[in-house]
Each structure stands twice: as structure tokens, then as C-alpha cells.
Amino acid sequence: MKTSAATSPEPGGDVPAKTPAIMFQGTGSDVGKSLLVAGLCRLFAQRGLRVSPFKPQNMSNNAAATPDGGEIGRAQMLQARAAGVRASIHLNPVLLKPQSETGAQVVVQGKVFAATAARDYGALKPKLMAPVLESFSRVCQGSDLVIVEGAGSPAEINLRAGDIANMGFALAADVPVVLVADIARGGVIANLAGTAAVLERADRAQVAGFIVNKFRGDISLFDDGVRSIEAHTDWPSLGVVPWFSMAHRLPAEDTLGLMGSEGSGAGKKVKIVVPRLPHIANFDDCDPLRLEPGVSLTIASIADPLPTDTDLVVLPGSKSTIADLAALRAAGWDIDIKAHVRRGGYVLGLCGGYQMLGEKVLDPQGIEGPAGEAAGLGLLAVSTTLSAPKVTREVFGVSLLPAHERAAVSGYGIHMGRTEGPDRERPVVLLDGEPDGAMSADGRVLGTYVHGIFGADGFRARFLAALGAASALAYERQVDDTLDALAGHLERCLNTDAILQIAQKSAMARTA
């Protein structure tokens, strides 16, 4: 395990006793916790409460830069937006970013703290509870309600020792828990009853109720199911949530939502393909493109060849640029992408994808693994040297692409390393007076470090126009409209008054 002493966690203070808080944990991954928390943040904010989201530990390569100069999970950024609060490193104090099948970079309170193997993380966890509680204390200050999201499932009792993500945090901070189960996967009664059966007595007592999520059809047909769960668990139901059909308009929490095509392609004008890299990161960069009526966007398996009718290849961000370069080569996609360019196609690299487009990627310090270097795709006359410190910042600027009329751009940067070379004389954007990115002489291959660049409507419209597609999507407005719709959806199907009362009663009990 490699640790950065400069960002070693410091012990925190006590959790404010009078701040109402409630935690949503799942019977498994991808049961919809993140979306529920986002919707409830918007709902209670609409009631006039000062609401803050919080997630003690997240595991995701889908990260966002915060205004205070760190990084958190993208889901917590969306939840902060839903709550109408300024995002902060304290909303997600521990972020695990997988770098390999058995190892991850550990980000603590926004900064890189360590690189550790999975087998060593258990020894590290006890050191992380203090900064987690410190961050929770900071989030509670000035909040009327804190809505906490767990990670994975408390039923993974083999991970209970030293836990900071689920029941370990809930007991340490004395926050009541609502369990969320996904009925769309089947076995929902067993999932909830089984979780109750395996939890330790103190953990089970922390649970104040349950929610059944993603129901399709006539909810009344599940009334007997709800009663069965209540009988087997002694937990009350807080509601059954019907399938939210507009969920695809919001950023996905993790890569479980990236399988296959994102659109049928019927009647579409522009075909965009994004390779699903083994260590793909910040994949929501392409969400605005996915929602464009004139675009067919496919997240493609690299086990299959690149379709020859592709107009644009977007090489996404990567947590392990060199390893993903090797994976592209092993799959033959390096040949496919070069053939695509020869046919007149376009390629855009974002962050790690930008680094891959160059001539070399050098890692003299062993940032991603063993020190060394790898040949890039050679489509841009640039080379990248990976080095610390990591850049984590919000960015604002203008496009420098032809016919863009200096369209406004915004987003964020999260990367390690510096890219130099002749093609940087043709930058893609100007950020606070500094050029960023590179473009080939013929303008068909581009790269930039700006994540979220397609969220800017003017930039995206001009970019798609060059490919032959018109855009009328107001992306950011649609995200807010969808959050409003999600809040209304949850208001109709959940006992939201009971949820708030559970949080308030717990706060009162802590002061007794």
C-alpha cells in the first residue's frame, strides 16, 4: 500500500446531536439508493428545509471536482444539485477508485491518500472512520436534514468489521436506517428477510423501515408481499416505488448501466460509439449526447469490432490509461480506430482518452502500476507524462474550434500528468486564459482534459452540427426538470412524513 503523508486523515469532532439525519442502505448494489436520495433531497428542499446529502464511502471511477478543490462521486454531485447546496469534499469523504481487478486509489476528503490492494483495505478502514465522522459533522452544521446513502449492502457481513459504509457508520453516528430493495431483480422478499436474518442484533435494531423500489404494474398486487416482509422482519414499510421511467435522463451511478446500446438508432442522423474500457471513468460525459434526438450513441463492448458506419468515436476517461490502451490493442480496436479515421471519421478523446490518442504515455513514477511507458494510438502529435499532483478543479472557458464562435464551455478536470507536443498548438478550448487540448491538422482527431464539456448546450450544438445533426436539447434544464419529476414521484408513493419523523425523532433521542 502506498500512502501520501500530505493527505493523511485527521481525527474529527463530534457529530452535532440535534441534526436530523436518515440513512438509506440497500439489500444489494444498484437497487436505486442514489436516485432515491437525489429525489428526497429535492423533495425536502422544496418543502423549505436545508438538506444535504452524504455518503461515507463510495466506490466509483465516476468522480467530480468540487468547488473546494477536491473530488467526490458524481452521484453526490447530482444529489447536492438536487438539494440546492454547494458541493463539497465532505459530502463523500472516502472515494475508492478502482485501478485494477484487485486494487484501488483511496481518496480521503477530496485528496489522494493511498493506493491499496483490496486485501489491504480492511486494515486501512479503521483509520478512515475519524475523517468520515468529521465530514459528517461538517455537513450537519447548517443543515435541517442530512440524507445519507450507504454502499453495497449491510448483508455483506464478511465486511462488517471496521465498516464505514453502512452499519458501522450508522451506529457510530447513531443514524436510523431505511433498507431499499429492488423488486425488478426478483426475490425481493428473500432479500429483505435474508438481510434481517444475517444482521447482528444492534445493526438490525438500527433499521427503521424498508422501501421496495422499481415496481412495475399494479402495486396493490404486492400488498400481501409487503405484509409478508413486515412479518418476517418486524420493520414497517415506508412505501413501494413504481418504476421511474425518466431515470435515464439522470446520470447513472456506475457502469452497471452501461451495457449495450443507449439508443435504437432508428431515424438517427449521427452515430457515436464509446468503447467500454475495462477502467472507464466519468462515463456520464456522454449523457447529453445520449439524450439528443439526432444522435445514436452506443456504449460498445471492445470484444466486438467498431461498426464501420460510425461517425464519431469518443474515447472516454480512464482510471488506468496504460492498461486500457493495452486492452484496446488486444481487442484490435487500435486498428479499427485508425481505419475509422482513414475513412474520414472523427475521434474525440476525453482526459484519459486524450492521453491515449498521443504518441506515448510515460509513467516514470509508477502512478498507475509498474514504472514504464506505452505507445499511444499515434493520432495526435502529443505525449503524456503521468505525474503528481492530481489536478482536481472546476473549469470555465470558451471553445476554440472552427465555427464555434467561442461558445461557452464548463466542466471539471480530474487527471494526473501533463500533455505536450506540436498538436497542442491547435487547442480545443481556452480555460481561464490557458489553452487546453489538441487537434490534428485535418481537424478530425481532438482531445481535451475537460470532463462534462457536452453539458454546455451551445458547444454541443455546434459540435453536432459539424457532424450533420441539429440540437435543440436544453440539457441542464432537463436535468432539473427530471429531479422535480422524481421528487413528485416519490411524494406520491412514499410515506415521506414518516421518513422525516424518523430522522427528527432520532435527533431528539440523541439529545435526551
Side-chain angles (χ1 to χ4, degrees):
M1 178 178 70
K2 296 189 290 186
T3 303
S4 170
T7 56
S8 180
E10 297 292 337
D14 295 332
V15 175
K18 295 183 180 180
T19 305
I22 190 165
M23 186 175 193
F24 292 83
Q25 298 180 17
T27 57
S29 297
D30 201 39
V31 299
K33 301 185 302 294
S34 296
L35 206 62
L36 284 175
V37 170
L40 289 171
C41 281
R42 177 56 61 94
L43 187 156
F44 288 118
Q46 289 174 339
R47 292 188 184 181
L49 297 176
R50 295 171 298 176
V51 187
S52 289
F54 183 77
K55 184 158 186 168
Q57 174 191 295
N58 200 349
M59 177 178 283
S60 177
N61 278 332
N62 215 26
T66 58
D68 49 0
E71 59 179 314
I72 60 175
R74 287 293 296 170
Q76 282 61 66
M77 183 66 78
L78 178 67
Q79 290 162 357
R81 176 176 182 163
V85 298
R86 185 175 184 265
S88 158
I89 58 173
H90 297 294
L91 300 184
N92 175 207
V94 177
L95 176 62
L96 307 179
K97 305 186 75 173
Q99 292 179 299
S100 67
E101 293 299 317
T102 59
Q105 184 183 83
V106 183
V107 177
V108 178
Q109 292 182 332
K111 302 298 182 184
V112 176
F113 170 61
T116 182
R119 66 172 59 250
D120 298 327
Y121 183 63
L124 182 62
K125 284 194 295 184
K127 302 177 183 179
L128 301 179
M129 182 61 87
V132 164
L133 291 177
E134 179 195 25
S135 288
F136 182 60
S137 177
R138 288 174 179 264
V139 170
C140 285
Q141 294 168 11
S143 297
D144 298 320
L145 174 67
V146 178
I147 304 180
V148 185
E149 180 188 346
S153 170
E156 296 162 347
I157 54 176
N158 56 308
L159 303 177
R160 178 61 179 87
D163 171 60
I164 63 172
N166 290 305
M167 288 301 181
F169 168 82
L171 265 67
D174 195 15
V175 174
V177 172
V178 174
L179 272 179
V180 181
D182 178 359
I183 197 171
R185 295 183 172 189
V188 70
I189 296 175
N191 288 339
L192 284 160
T195 299
V198 301
L199 289 181
E200 298 175 6
R201 180 177 298 178
D203 291 351
R204 179 170 173 161
Q206 202 71 16
V207 179
F210 68 88
I211 290 171
V212 173
N213 197 20
K214 304 182 186 178
F215 191 93
R216 293 179 185 267
D218 183 351
I219 288 180
S220 66
L221 297 177
F222 193 64
D223 288 348
D224 288 342
V226 169
R227 286 190 286 269
S228 293
I229 296 169
E230 291 177 329
H232 280 87
T233 65
D234 292 327
W235 298 328
S237 169
L238 295 170
V240 177
V241 181
W243 188 273
F244 182 58
S245 61
M246 298 196 314
H248 68 283
R249 294 183 177 181
L250 297 174
E253 161 69 358
D254 55 38
T255 54
L256 289 174
L258 290 186
M259 302 304 291
S261 175
E262 297 288 344
S264 67
K268 305 291 185 178
K269 293 182 178 180
V270 171
K271 183 168 185 175
I272 300 175
V273 173
V274 183
R276 192 178 191 273
L277 303 173
H279 306 96
I280 189 171
N282 300 87
F283 49 81
D284 62 336
D285 283 342
C286 292
D287 276 358
L289 297 175
R290 175 172 55 84
L291 298 174
E292 284 283 1
V295 169
S296 170
L297 186 140
T298 300
I299 308 295
S301 168
I302 59 174
D304 300 320
L306 173 65
T308 57
D309 60 345
T310 300
D311 297 299
L312 169 68
V313 174
V314 176
L315 282 180
S318 167
K319 191 65 191 70
S320 296
T321 302
I322 292 176
D324 281 347
L325 258 175
L328 281 177
R329 281 202 168 87
W333 268 63
D334 58 330
I335 298 171
D336 287 359
I337 291 173
K338 291 175 183 178
H340 164 76
V341 174
R342 288 196 299 271
R343 289 193 297 268
Y346 288 81
V347 180
L348 171 66
L350 298 173
C351 198
Y354 169 30
Q355 295 173 343
M356 293 179 200
L357 290 174
E359 296 167 344
K360 287 184 180 181
V361 179
L362 302 94
D363 188 4
Q365 301 175 23
I367 299 291
E368 292 189 347
E373 65 178 67
L377 298 178
L379 293 173
L380 285 176
V382 297
S383 292
T384 298
T385 301
L386 302 178
S387 61
K390 178 184 279 191
V391 173
T392 53
R393 63 186 181 115
E394 292 184 312
V395 296
F396 303 91
V398 294
S399 173
L400 297 177
L401 296 180
H404 275 221
E405 300 171 348
R406 298 176 75 85
V409 298
S410 61
Y412 58 98
I414 299 181
H415 70 273
M416 299 185 82
R418 187 170 181 84
T419 301
E420 299 290 352
D423 279 351
R424 286 208 65 225
E425 296 177 5
R426 289 180 292 273
V428 174
V429 294
L430 189 67
L431 305 175
D432 299 322
E434 295 292 326
D436 174 89
M439 182 169 56
S440 62
D442 62 6
R444 292 188 174 274
V445 182
L446 308 91
T448 176
Y449 276 117
V450 180
H451 288 295
I453 194 169
F454 285 118
D457 293 336
F459 175 88
R460 187 180 65 257
R462 289 169 174 82
F463 192 93
L464 291 176
L467 298 174
S471 169
L473 173 67
Y475 176 70
E476 298 295 343
R477 186 177 68 193
Q478 180 168 286
V479 170
D480 274 315
D481 289 347
T482 305
L483 288 169
D484 287 340
L486 176 59
H489 182 74
L490 298 182
E491 182 80 82
R492 290 187 291 273
C493 61
L494 292 180
N495 189 341
T496 54
D497 290 338
I499 290 172
L500 184 58
Q501 289 168 7
I502 290 169
Q504 291 171 336
K505 287 180 180 178
S506 177
M508 293 173 62
R510 291 201 300 270
T511 62

